[in-house]
Amino acid sequence: MRTVDPLSRRVALAHLPTPLEPMRRLAAHLGMADDALWVKRDDCTGLAAGGNKARKLEYLCEEATVHGADTLVTGGGRQSNHVRMAAAAANKLGLRCTIVLGGAEPSVPSGNLVLDELLAPEMVWAGTLDYYGIEAAIDHATRRLIDEGRRPYAMPIGGASPVGALGYVRAAQELREQHPDVDLVVTADGSGGTHAGLAAGLGNHGRVLGVDVGARPDLDVQVPEKATETARLAGLAEPTGTAQIDHDRFGAGYGEPTDDAREALDLAARLEGLILDPVYSGKAMAGLIAARRDGRIERDTNVVFLHTGGLPALFASSFAEWIKTRPGGN
Ligand SMILES: Cc1ncc(COP(=O)(O)O)c(C=O)c1O
């Protein structure tokens, strides 16, 4: 009997493979070898302005279709990139979509919310809730839809189920083909699903450094658990080693701007013409810079920074003043 490769069961939503580009000027600034620092452009996945969630949604939407779902349901924080992209995927596939957002509806939409308005999913404002409060609100919305006679497919925050994480097993394979000698991939950890998929795909936790952005309280448990489950689902061996997560970069909390993220945005923009965001990719780059400065990343370590997207949040009104501050005050 022929077995089906679990990674082949996906709907095409993303522009793949994403480019892998050298960052020579940033490498020089950080005292790294000329060809040691690269950026994997998952901000260029295409779906409704791109980002890492397109890869996860390819697998999640395939499962939704197999289950005969008519509605995608998910949730996140007010500036969630995942809900924006889930709404786009639903529209593309002719499904309905319900998104649950933490907080209260602002009087004027900005950032991701402008795109959410345009994509027009059903939006449920759930009030101030923590991570697992939003997960519970997603369950609640799903049950309500069932009562209304719909066939919902519920996705956790960030699409962080093992099925969603298969998207990053595939990304790890893609990266290996582009650069067989990668020592370390640095990524933002929100729900931890991207990190888990990468660790499963690379087969070794030591090859991934996740930078906690302050969204999920139990990443240290979730990342290794999800990596193991994802590897099993992909038919791979459990990744070796211990998950590496930097918990020192999120400052006052999720979505709260930090000085070292501001410096990271500045260096990426001025040296590489690369735009990062304050919530995810800026904090991840700040984690990479810190690891280089304290020697965890060496001069010749082959590092790939995973640019996970998030650009729309840069246009959120809450960051308008912060972006005018320049690192070092100049
Ligand atoms: C732009 C961006 N980068 C990184 C992440 C983190 O990915 P994950 O939730 O898989 O940890 C997210 C979502 O949470 C995101 O929207």
PDB file of all heavy atoms in Angstrom, residues 245-270:
ATOM      1  N   ILE A 245      14.621  28.984  24.473  1.00  0.00           N
ATOM      2  CA  ILE A 245      13.696  30.127  24.404  1.00  0.00           C
ATOM      3  C   ILE A 245      14.268  31.284  25.222  1.00  0.00           C
ATOM      4  O   ILE A 245      14.608  31.112  26.396  1.00  0.00           O
ATOM      5  CB  ILE A 245      12.290  29.740  24.933  1.00  0.00           C
ATOM      6  CG1 ILE A 245      11.739  28.534  24.136  1.00  0.00           C
ATOM      7  CG2 ILE A 245      11.328  30.929  24.825  1.00  0.00           C
ATOM      8  CD1 ILE A 245      10.414  28.005  24.619  1.00  0.00           C
ATOM      9  N   ASP A 246      14.362  32.445  24.582  1.00  0.00           N
ATOM     10  CA  ASP A 246      14.832  33.653  25.261  1.00  0.00           C
ATOM     11  C   ASP A 246      13.600  34.374  25.826  1.00  0.00           C
ATOM     12  O   ASP A 246      12.768  34.875  25.062  1.00  0.00           O
ATOM     13  CB  ASP A 246      15.571  34.532  24.238  1.00  0.00           C
ATOM     14  CG  ASP A 246      15.991  35.876  24.802  1.00  0.00           C
ATOM     15  OD1 ASP A 246      15.567  36.223  25.923  1.00  0.00           O
ATOM     16  OD2 ASP A 246      16.727  36.599  24.107  1.00  0.00           O
ATOM     17  N   HIS A 247      13.514  34.426  27.150  1.00  0.00           N
ATOM     18  CA  HIS A 247      12.350  35.057  27.784  1.00  0.00           C
ATOM     19  C   HIS A 247      12.642  36.501  28.211  1.00  0.00           C
ATOM     20  O   HIS A 247      11.872  37.081  28.981  1.00  0.00           O
ATOM     21  CB  HIS A 247      11.927  34.271  29.034  1.00  0.00           C
ATOM     22  CG  HIS A 247      11.417  32.886  28.739  1.00  0.00           C
ATOM     23  ND1 HIS A 247      10.219  32.655  28.101  1.00  0.00           N
ATOM     24  CD2 HIS A 247      11.948  31.663  28.990  1.00  0.00           C
ATOM     25  CE1 HIS A 247      10.023  31.345  27.991  1.00  0.00           C
ATOM     26  NE2 HIS A 247      11.062  30.722  28.511  1.00  0.00           N
ATOM     27  N   ASP A 248      13.754  37.056  27.750  1.00  0.00           N
ATOM     28  CA  ASP A 248      14.160  38.374  28.267  1.00  0.00           C
ATOM     29  C   ASP A 248      13.925  39.524  27.301  1.00  0.00           C
ATOM     30  O   ASP A 248      14.517  40.593  27.463  1.00  0.00           O
ATOM     31  CB  ASP A 248      15.658  38.341  28.627  1.00  0.00           C
ATOM     32  CG  ASP A 248      15.923  37.423  29.802  1.00  0.00           C
ATOM     33  OD1 ASP A 248      15.019  37.298  30.652  1.00  0.00           O
ATOM     34  OD2 ASP A 248      17.021  36.821  29.856  1.00  0.00           O
ATOM     35  N   ARG A 249      13.125  39.337  26.288  1.00  0.00           N
ATOM     36  CA  ARG A 249      12.998  40.381  25.254  1.00  0.00           C
ATOM     37  C   ARG A 249      11.630  41.039  25.187  1.00  0.00           C
ATOM     38  O   ARG A 249      11.444  41.940  24.379  1.00  0.00           O
ATOM     39  CB  ARG A 249      13.293  39.819  23.843  1.00  0.00           C
ATOM     40  CG  ARG A 249      14.595  39.117  23.682  1.00  0.00           C
ATOM     41  CD  ARG A 249      15.791  40.027  23.791  1.00  0.00           C
ATOM     42  NE  ARG A 249      16.787  39.337  24.589  1.00  0.00           N
ATOM     43  CZ  ARG A 249      17.652  39.921  25.402  1.00  0.00           C
ATOM     44  NH1 ARG A 249      17.678  41.230  25.534  1.00  0.00           N
ATOM     45  NH2 ARG A 249      18.496  39.204  26.108  1.00  0.00           N
ATOM     46  N   PHE A 250      10.638  40.552  25.973  1.00  0.00           N
ATOM     47  CA  PHE A 250       9.294  41.099  25.723  1.00  0.00           C
ATOM     48  C   PHE A 250       8.961  42.330  26.549  1.00  0.00           C
ATOM     49  O   PHE A 250       7.899  42.940  26.403  1.00  0.00           O
ATOM     50  CB  PHE A 250       8.208  40.023  25.831  1.00  0.00           C
ATOM     51  CG  PHE A 250       8.129  39.284  27.136  1.00  0.00           C
ATOM     52  CD1 PHE A 250       7.559  39.865  28.258  1.00  0.00           C
ATOM     53  CD2 PHE A 250       8.603  37.977  27.227  1.00  0.00           C
ATOM     54  CE1 PHE A 250       7.457  39.172  29.448  1.00  0.00           C
ATOM     55  CE2 PHE A 250       8.511  37.274  28.409  1.00  0.00           C
ATOM     56  CZ  PHE A 250       7.946  37.862  29.532  1.00  0.00           C
ATOM     57  N   GLY A 251       9.892  42.736  27.399  1.00  0.00           N
ATOM     58  CA  GLY A 251       9.680  43.978  28.142  1.00  0.00           C
ATOM     59  C   GLY A 251       8.485  43.889  29.066  1.00  0.00           C
ATOM     60  O   GLY A 251       8.293  42.900  29.782  1.00  0.00           O
ATOM     61  N   ALA A 252       7.619  44.904  29.016  1.00  0.00           N
ATOM     62  CA  ALA A 252       6.483  44.960  29.946  1.00  0.00           C
ATOM     63  C   ALA A 252       5.374  43.988  29.561  1.00  0.00           C
ATOM     64  O   ALA A 252       4.414  43.827  30.315  1.00  0.00           O
ATOM     65  CB  ALA A 252       5.947  46.384  30.010  1.00  0.00           C
ATOM     66  N   GLY A 253       5.470  43.345  28.394  1.00  0.00           N
ATOM     67  CA  GLY A 253       4.439  42.356  28.032  1.00  0.00           C
ATOM     68  C   GLY A 253       4.202  42.311  26.547  1.00  0.00           C
ATOM     69  O   GLY A 253       4.839  43.021  25.764  1.00  0.00           O
ATOM     70  N   TYR A 254       3.260  41.461  26.165  1.00  0.00           N
ATOM     71  CA  TYR A 254       2.922  41.277  24.746  1.00  0.00           C
ATOM     72  C   TYR A 254       2.490  42.617  24.123  1.00  0.00           C
ATOM     73  O   TYR A 254       1.642  43.322  24.671  1.00  0.00           O
ATOM     74  CB  TYR A 254       1.788  40.258  24.631  1.00  0.00           C
ATOM     75  CG  TYR A 254       1.296  40.107  23.222  1.00  0.00           C
ATOM     76  CD1 TYR A 254       2.077  39.478  22.269  1.00  0.00           C
ATOM     77  CD2 TYR A 254       0.065  40.631  22.835  1.00  0.00           C
ATOM     78  CE1 TYR A 254       1.632  39.353  20.962  1.00  0.00           C
ATOM     79  CE2 TYR A 254      -0.390  40.509  21.532  1.00  0.00           C
ATOM     80  CZ  TYR A 254       0.416  39.870  20.603  1.00  0.00           C
ATOM     81  OH  TYR A 254      -0.015  39.765  19.307  1.00  0.00           O
ATOM     82  N   GLY A 255       3.119  42.935  23.012  1.00  0.00           N
ATOM     83  CA  GLY A 255       2.727  44.154  22.286  1.00  0.00           C
ATOM     84  C   GLY A 255       3.272  45.435  22.880  1.00  0.00           C
ATOM     85  O   GLY A 255       3.040  46.516  22.341  1.00  0.00           O
ATOM     86  N   GLU A 256       3.996  45.325  24.011  1.00  0.00           N
ATOM     87  CA  GLU A 256       4.562  46.532  24.626  1.00  0.00           C
ATOM     88  C   GLU A 256       5.914  46.808  23.970  1.00  0.00           C
ATOM     89  O   GLU A 256       6.773  45.927  23.924  1.00  0.00           O
ATOM     90  CB  GLU A 256       4.768  46.330  26.137  1.00  0.00           C
ATOM     91  CG  GLU A 256       3.487  46.121  26.921  1.00  0.00           C
ATOM     92  CD  GLU A 256       2.610  47.370  26.927  1.00  0.00           C
ATOM     93  OE1 GLU A 256       3.161  48.485  26.829  1.00  0.00           O
ATOM     94  OE2 GLU A 256       1.382  47.200  27.008  1.00  0.00           O
ATOM     95  N   PRO A 257       6.119  48.014  23.479  1.00  0.00           N
ATOM     96  CA  PRO A 257       7.380  48.299  22.791  1.00  0.00           C
ATOM     97  C   PRO A 257       8.577  48.266  23.737  1.00  0.00           C
ATOM     98  O   PRO A 257       8.435  48.549  24.933  1.00  0.00           O
ATOM     99  CB  PRO A 257       7.180  49.706  22.229  1.00  0.00           C
ATOM    100  CG  PRO A 257       6.021  50.282  22.943  1.00  0.00           C
ATOM    101  CD  PRO A 257       5.198  49.159  23.493  1.00  0.00           C
ATOM    102  N   THR A 258       9.740  47.891  23.201  1.00  0.00           N
ATOM    103  CA  THR A 258      10.962  47.871  24.019  1.00  0.00           C
ATOM    104  C   THR A 258      12.062  48.642  23.288  1.00  0.00           C
ATOM    105  O   THR A 258      12.037  48.763  22.061  1.00  0.00           O
ATOM    106  CB  THR A 258      11.463  46.425  24.241  1.00  0.00           C
ATOM    107  OG1 THR A 258      11.783  45.838  22.967  1.00  0.00           O
ATOM    108  CG2 THR A 258      10.437  45.553  24.954  1.00  0.00           C
ATOM    109  N   ASP A 259      13.046  49.113  24.065  1.00  0.00           N
ATOM    110  CA  ASP A 259      14.166  49.855  23.461  1.00  0.00           C
ATOM    111  C   ASP A 259      14.991  48.953  22.552  1.00  0.00           C
ATOM    112  O   ASP A 259      15.445  49.369  21.494  1.00  0.00           O
ATOM    113  CB  ASP A 259      15.083  50.425  24.556  1.00  0.00           C
ATOM    114  CG  ASP A 259      14.404  51.561  25.302  1.00  0.00           C
ATOM    115  OD1 ASP A 259      13.353  52.047  24.818  1.00  0.00           O
ATOM    116  OD2 ASP A 259      14.914  51.944  26.375  1.00  0.00           O
ATOM    117  N   ASP A 260      15.193  47.690  22.988  1.00  0.00           N
ATOM    118  CA  ASP A 260      16.056  46.856  22.131  1.00  0.00           C
ATOM    119  C   ASP A 260      15.339  46.420  20.852  1.00  0.00           C
ATOM    120  O   ASP A 260      15.979  46.255  19.810  1.00  0.00           O
ATOM    121  CB  ASP A 260      16.749  45.711  22.884  1.00  0.00           C
ATOM    122  CG  ASP A 260      15.814  44.771  23.612  1.00  0.00           C
ATOM    123  OD1 ASP A 260      14.601  44.992  23.550  1.00  0.00           O
ATOM    124  OD2 ASP A 260      16.312  43.807  24.233  1.00  0.00           O
ATOM    125  N   ALA A 261      14.012  46.341  20.883  1.00  0.00           N
ATOM    126  CA  ALA A 261      13.288  46.093  19.625  1.00  0.00           C
ATOM    127  C   ALA A 261      13.377  47.332  18.728  1.00  0.00           C
ATOM    128  O   ALA A 261      13.515  47.215  17.506  1.00  0.00           O
ATOM    129  CB  ALA A 261      11.833  45.740  19.893  1.00  0.00           C
ATOM    130  N   ARG A 262      13.330  48.495  19.350  1.00  0.00           N
ATOM    131  CA  ARG A 262      13.446  49.732  18.542  1.00  0.00           C
ATOM    132  C   ARG A 262      14.811  49.782  17.861  1.00  0.00           C
ATOM    133  O   ARG A 262      14.925  50.165  16.692  1.00  0.00           O
ATOM    134  CB  ARG A 262      13.228  50.960  19.440  1.00  0.00           C
ATOM    135  CG  ARG A 262      13.244  52.289  18.678  1.00  0.00           C
ATOM    136  CD  ARG A 262      12.064  52.407  17.711  1.00  0.00           C
ATOM    137  NE  ARG A 262      12.157  53.579  16.838  1.00  0.00           N
ATOM    138  CZ  ARG A 262      12.861  53.619  15.714  1.00  0.00           C
ATOM    139  NH1 ARG A 262      13.549  52.568  15.316  1.00  0.00           N
ATOM    140  NH2 ARG A 262      12.883  54.711  14.979  1.00  0.00           N
ATOM    141  N   GLU A 263      15.857  49.385  18.601  1.00  0.00           N
ATOM    142  CA  GLU A 263      17.192  49.336  18.003  1.00  0.00           C
ATOM    143  C   GLU A 263      17.230  48.311  16.854  1.00  0.00           C
ATOM    144  O   GLU A 263      17.819  48.562  15.798  1.00  0.00           O
ATOM    145  CB  GLU A 263      18.259  48.956  19.055  1.00  0.00           C
ATOM    146  CG  GLU A 263      19.666  49.018  18.479  1.00  0.00           C
ATOM    147  CD  GLU A 263      20.709  48.205  19.259  1.00  0.00           C
ATOM    148  OE1 GLU A 263      20.334  47.405  20.133  1.00  0.00           O
ATOM    149  OE2 GLU A 263      21.907  48.377  18.946  1.00  0.00           O
ATOM    150  N   ALA A 264      16.577  47.171  17.070  1.00  0.00           N
ATOM    151  CA  ALA A 264      16.554  46.126  16.037  1.00  0.00           C
ATOM    152  C   ALA A 264      15.852  46.628  14.773  1.00  0.00           C
ATOM    153  O   ALA A 264      16.326  46.409  13.650  1.00  0.00           O
ATOM    154  CB  ALA A 264      15.849  44.877  16.576  1.00  0.00           C
ATOM    155  N   LEU A 265      14.714  47.329  14.956  1.00  0.00           N
ATOM    156  CA  LEU A 265      14.003  47.883  13.793  1.00  0.00           C
ATOM    157  C   LEU A 265      14.915  48.855  13.049  1.00  0.00           C
ATOM    158  O   LEU A 265      14.962  48.880  11.820  1.00  0.00           O
ATOM    159  CB  LEU A 265      12.736  48.623  14.240  1.00  0.00           C
ATOM    160  CG  LEU A 265      11.403  47.866  14.134  1.00  0.00           C
ATOM    161  CD1 LEU A 265      11.329  46.721  15.119  1.00  0.00           C
ATOM    162  CD2 LEU A 265      10.226  48.806  14.337  1.00  0.00           C
ATOM    163  N   ASP A 266      15.631  49.657  13.849  1.00  0.00           N
ATOM    164  CA  ASP A 266      16.512  50.677  13.279  1.00  0.00           C
ATOM    165  C   ASP A 266      17.651  50.047  12.468  1.00  0.00           C
ATOM    166  O   ASP A 266      17.898  50.428  11.317  1.00  0.00           O
ATOM    167  CB  ASP A 266      17.093  51.485  14.442  1.00  0.00           C
ATOM    168  CG  ASP A 266      17.658  52.805  13.983  1.00  0.00           C
ATOM    169  OD1 ASP A 266      16.871  53.634  13.501  1.00  0.00           O
ATOM    170  OD2 ASP A 266      18.891  52.970  14.091  1.00  0.00           O
ATOM    171  N   LEU A 267      18.326  49.061  13.048  1.00  0.00           N
ATOM    172  CA  LEU A 267      19.465  48.426  12.365  1.00  0.00           C
ATOM    173  C   LEU A 267      19.003  47.710  11.097  1.00  0.00           C
ATOM    174  O   LEU A 267      19.643  47.830  10.041  1.00  0.00           O
ATOM    175  CB  LEU A 267      20.170  47.437  13.303  1.00  0.00           C
ATOM    176  CG  LEU A 267      20.941  48.057  14.470  1.00  0.00           C
ATOM    177  CD1 LEU A 267      21.495  46.957  15.381  1.00  0.00           C
ATOM    178  CD2 LEU A 267      22.081  48.945  13.968  1.00  0.00           C
ATOM    179  N   ALA A 268      17.895  46.980  11.186  1.00  0.00           N
ATOM    180  CA  ALA A 268      17.413  46.239  10.009  1.00  0.00           C
ATOM    181  C   ALA A 268      17.032  47.210   8.893  1.00  0.00           C
ATOM    182  O   ALA A 268      17.355  46.984   7.718  1.00  0.00           O
ATOM    183  CB  ALA A 268      16.214  45.374  10.389  1.00  0.00           C
ATOM    184  N   ALA A 269      16.376  48.297   9.265  1.00  0.00           N
ATOM    185  CA  ALA A 269      15.933  49.261   8.246  1.00  0.00           C
ATOM    186  C   ALA A 269      17.123  49.993   7.634  1.00  0.00           C
ATOM    187  O   ALA A 269      17.236  50.114   6.415  1.00  0.00           O
ATOM    188  CB  ALA A 269      14.954  50.259   8.869  1.00  0.00           C
ATOM    189  N   ARG A 270      18.038  50.462   8.510  1.00  0.00           N
ATOM    190  CA  ARG A 270      19.121  51.319   7.997  1.00  0.00           C
ATOM    191  C   ARG A 270      20.233  50.532   7.313  1.00  0.00           C
ATOM    192  O   ARG A 270      20.888  51.044   6.411  1.00  0.00           O
ATOM    193  CB  ARG A 270      19.715  52.115   9.149  1.00  0.00           C
ATOM    194  CG  ARG A 270      18.722  53.124   9.698  1.00  0.00           C
ATOM    195  CD  ARG A 270      19.464  54.352  10.114  1.00  0.00           C
ATOM    196  NE  ARG A 270      18.988  54.868  11.364  1.00  0.00           N
ATOM    197  CZ  ARG A 270      19.574  55.877  11.981  1.00  0.00           C
ATOM    198  NH1 ARG A 270      20.685  56.400  11.515  1.00  0.00           N
ATOM    199  NH2 ARG A 270      19.077  56.336  13.100  1.00  0.00           N
TER     200      ARG A 270
END
